[in-house]
Amino acid sequence: MRTLLLILLAACLAFAAPAKKDTVVHWMSYTEGLKKAAQESKLMFVSVYADWCIPCRIMEKNVYSDPKIATTLNARFIPVKLNAESQDEIRCDDQVKTVERCYFDVWNLSAVPSIVLVAPKGMSILTLSQSVDVDDMQFLLKQFLFKEKEWIAR
C-alpha cells in the first residue's frame, strides 16, 4: 500500500512539474514573417544561411539553441531563416527579387552566415555578415532592442 502511494505521489509530481521554457527558435518563411511583422509591429530578424556553410551550422547548434537567445528571438522579433542560394521570389526593400538577388543586390551581402534586420514595413535596417557566438548575439539583440522604437517607425 505504501509503495502504491509513493508511486502515485511521484506520478502526480511529475505531471505537476512546471513545463520547461521553449528553447527552440520558431523560424518562419520570409513572406510569412513580413506579414506577421507588419501585423505585430515587430522587427524581423533574418538569419541568412547556405546548406554548405559550416559556421552557419555551428551557429544553429550553439547560438540559436541557447535558451536566452531563442526566448528573445521568439518574444521580441519575428525570426526568419532564409537560404542565400534560394531562387524563391521575395519582396526585399520594396523590390520583388529572388532571395539570391536580394542577398547580393539589395542587401549587399557577400558571406554567410549573415543577419538582416527588417522593419515591419519591409525595409532593411542593417546587415551583418559574420559568425557570432552566444555572448555576441546577446549583445547584438540588446542593441537592436535599444533602437527598436526608432527602427519600427521606418
Side-chain angles (χ1 to χ4, degrees), residues 132-145:
V132 296
D133 63 17
V134 171
D135 292 337
D136 290 339
M137 182 62 79
Q138 286 177 335
F139 177 78
L140 284 171
L141 294 176
K142 285 179 185 175
Q143 296 304 308
F144 296 164
L145 291 171

Side-chain angles (χ1 to χ4, degrees), residues 6-25:
L6 286 175
I7 292 171
L8 286 173
L9 179 62
C12 288
L13 289 175
F15 287 111
K20 286 185 177 180
K21 280 192 173 181
D22 194 3
T23 59
V24 175
V25 178

Side-chain angles (χ1 to χ4, degrees), residues 18-128:
K20 286 185 177 180
K21 280 192 173 181
D22 194 3
T23 59
V24 175
V25 178
H26 299 292
W27 300 111
M28 58 185 63
S29 74
Y30 189 89
T31 303
E32 189 180 26
L34 269 180
K35 288 178 189 171
K36 193 167 183 179
Q39 290 169 348
E40 297 182 15
S41 197
K42 287 184 177 180
L43 297 173
M44 192 163 71
F45 179 97
V46 182
S47 173
V48 185
Y49 73 97
D51 292 331
W52 48 264
C53 172
I54 303 297
C56 299
R57 292 181 195 165
I58 292 170
M59 280 187 65
E60 186 67 35
K61 182 180 178 196
N62 298 331
V63 178
Y64 295 128
S65 66
D66 179 83
K68 288 180 183 175
I69 301 294
T71 300
T72 302
L73 285 173
N74 290 331
R76 303 293 302 273
F77 296 88
I78 303 299
V80 169
K81 197 157 192 89
L82 200 55
N83 187 330
E85 299 174 316
S86 173
Q87 296 303 308
D88 292 344
E89 286 192 339
I90 61 171
R91 180 172 294 280
C92 50
D93 288 8
D94 258 352
Q95 302 173 50
V96 176
K97 294 181 176 266
T98 65
V99 172
E100 186 176 52
R101 294 295 14 125
C102 287
Y103 176 82
F104 287 114
D105 302 339
V106 177
W107 298 326
N108 297 315
L109 297 170
S110 60
V112 284
S114 293
I115 295 169
V116 181
L117 202 63
V118 179
K121 295 177 185 171
M123 301 304 286
S124 57
I125 297 168
L126 64 81
T127 60
L128 173 71

